Amino acid sequence: MTTAQVGPDRDLVALDQLVAVEEAAFIARLPESARLLAEATTSLAGGVVSNWQMAPPQTVWIDHGLGSRVWDADGHEYVDLHNGFGSMLVGHAHPAVVRAVQERITLGSHFAQPTADVIPVAQALAERFGLPIWRFGNSGTESTMDAIHLMRAVTGRERIIKVEGSYHGHHDAVQWSVYPGVDEMGPVRRPASIRTGPAIPQALAALTVVVPFGDLDALDWALTEHEGEIAGMILEPAMMNIGVIPPPEGYLEGVRDRLHAHGALLAYDEVKTGLTVGPGGMTKRSGITPDIICLAKAMGGGVPCGAIGGTAEVMESITDGTYEQVGTFNGNPLTMAAAKATLTEVLTADAYAHLERLRVRIVEGSEETLVRHGIDGHVSALGAKGCVVFSPDRIRNYRDFLAYDDRWGHAHWLVQHNRGVFLPPWGKCEQWTLSVQHTDDDVDRFLTNLDAFGKMVRQ
Ligand code: PLP
């Protein structure tokens, strides 16, 4: 006797079939990407320049971008919702950024001495995020590394707290329990500190205490268990490497107050959220200002960038040399020219109004599409960022994220890609980023593809 597949099992069978068909179509569309990858493999590790680019079924090579669109090496055009993992909030080749960089490069592009643009950039960030003193670096990894060094230098303590399932870059202090496996991750409310592979010394495990997102009791336990030893906590105020997970009501305030009560500091990792969820990131949206903010990605308008902001008291440790915040390329003139244009000319109040209109269109359209196809999902979105979550339940933390099937995100990513919408690879983990140059037509292409996806899953 055969039993017809029903409910989620029926969907998973359909998804397996869909993934097989769409992966074959994907590879068939991209012969030039395949050729470049093969050639690159002889001189680049894995044929790429960052391991995240090794996304299945095959790395996509890009030729160029303009406005809301990118073109791959095979000549296909896409609505770009990948946007360089959210760095291109300004869209591609924005005229103001192009002009600023072109003007700057003719005047010399690097001196390792400050140029005048560093001042308006720092002032604009202070104004937006409400922390007075800033320094610059070159990546999100540098920003969170500086934040942790700074918390240790200010408090004279060594341990830090991070959230299970959060990614803060690839330095030793934060490469713990980023995507831990089910069999190793430990109790829900007292997670184990699991290193991201053998490159991270096991000897450092005790220095990074892991807690679940959104759980103030668990934070209390961690702080009490390590009383007087915690320098601070690095926290994405809305989690953005496992979809989009907003903080529960009162959480950010509770975290800040608990840390301060134990003599510890709070650093927000706003590398992804900063500028994309609103003009002053989650800091301004929530009204809860941390001691330190880490920025990168979107603040540079597409040029490598990083920044940390802090209270006058915290940043005094840099001024007096307790913490040596240094770097040859810090405040690089090209970066500062692009950041100044981004902050003062492009990301205006009108630009945020436009992003908000697009957010409503993509969220409402996606939710309506899911309902129409009877797919048990929802949309989680904040400002320019958002994702379809193919689960009826709200995702509150890493363990919830693990509980629903990866195939949904991958199949959706493939269907969008093969039909001209470039979402970030690693479908289930990531989210779209709208840019100020996206239009209703761009959103509608995404919705048309989501509708096609619904039909394919439910046919
Ligand atoms: N923090 C968060 C929240 C991130 O998502 C990332 C990168 O994706 C980083 C830090 C590290 O930034 P970068 O890749 O520029 O080093």
Side-chain angles (χ1 to χ4, degrees), residues 95-124:
V97 177
V98 169
R99 192 177 54 248
V101 172
Q102 277 177 342
E103 281 173 8
R104 180 65 248 182
I105 200 149
T106 61
L107 299 170
S109 57
H110 185 64
F111 313 105
Q113 292 294 127
T115 50
D117 280 349
V118 298
I119 300 169
V121 174
Q123 287 172 342

Side-chain angles (χ1 to χ4, degrees), residues 67-250:
S68 62
R69 309 284 169 105
V70 284
W71 285 260
D72 70 20
D74 285 278
H76 304 112
E77 177 231 54
Y78 303 83
V79 169
D80 190 12
L81 292 175
H82 178 343
N83 265 323
F85 282 127
S87 302
M88 302 311 302
L89 185 63
V90 296
H92 297 288
H94 191 290
V97 177
V98 169
R99 192 177 54 248
V101 172
Q102 277 177 342
E103 281 173 8
R104 180 65 248 182
I105 200 149
T106 61
L107 299 170
S109 57
H110 185 64
F111 313 105
Q113 292 294 127
T115 50
D117 280 349
V118 298
I119 300 169
V121 174
Q123 287 172 342
L125 295 175
E127 168 81 20
R128 282 170 184 258
F129 289 88
L131 281 175
I133 310 289
W134 291 78
R135 271 290 176 93
F136 300 115
N138 303 284
S139 69
T141 293
E142 280 183 51
S143 300
T144 63
M145 182 188 72
D146 275 332
I148 285 164
H149 287 165
L150 203 43
M151 294 195 290
R152 288 178 171 152
V154 170
T155 61
R157 301 171 177 179
E158 293 192 345
R159 279 187 220 268
I160 60 137
I161 298 177
K162 86 172 274 288
V163 164
E164 187 175 47
S166 68
Y167 178 73
H168 301 289
H170 58 280
H171 57 95
D172 289 2
V174 290
Q175 282 281 42
W176 295 90
S177 298
V178 177
Y179 292 110
V182 178
D183 51 345
E184 60 182 0
M185 60 193 181
V188 178
R189 307 188 77 185
R190 315 286 289 263
S193 293
I194 304 299
R195 62 180 173 160
T196 308
I200 308 302
Q202 189 58 41
L204 300 182
L207 296 185
T208 303
V209 177
V210 176
V211 295
F213 188 66
D215 187 337
L216 289 172
D217 290 339
L219 179 61
D220 273 332
W221 295 330
L223 286 164
T224 308
E225 190 172 327
H226 301 289
E227 190 61 62
E229 296 173 352
I230 301 291
M233 178 169 178
I234 181 118
L235 175 71
E236 255 198 306
M239 290 187 78
M240 293 237 171
N241 282 294
I242 51 172
V244 172
I245 306 188
E249 190 65 34

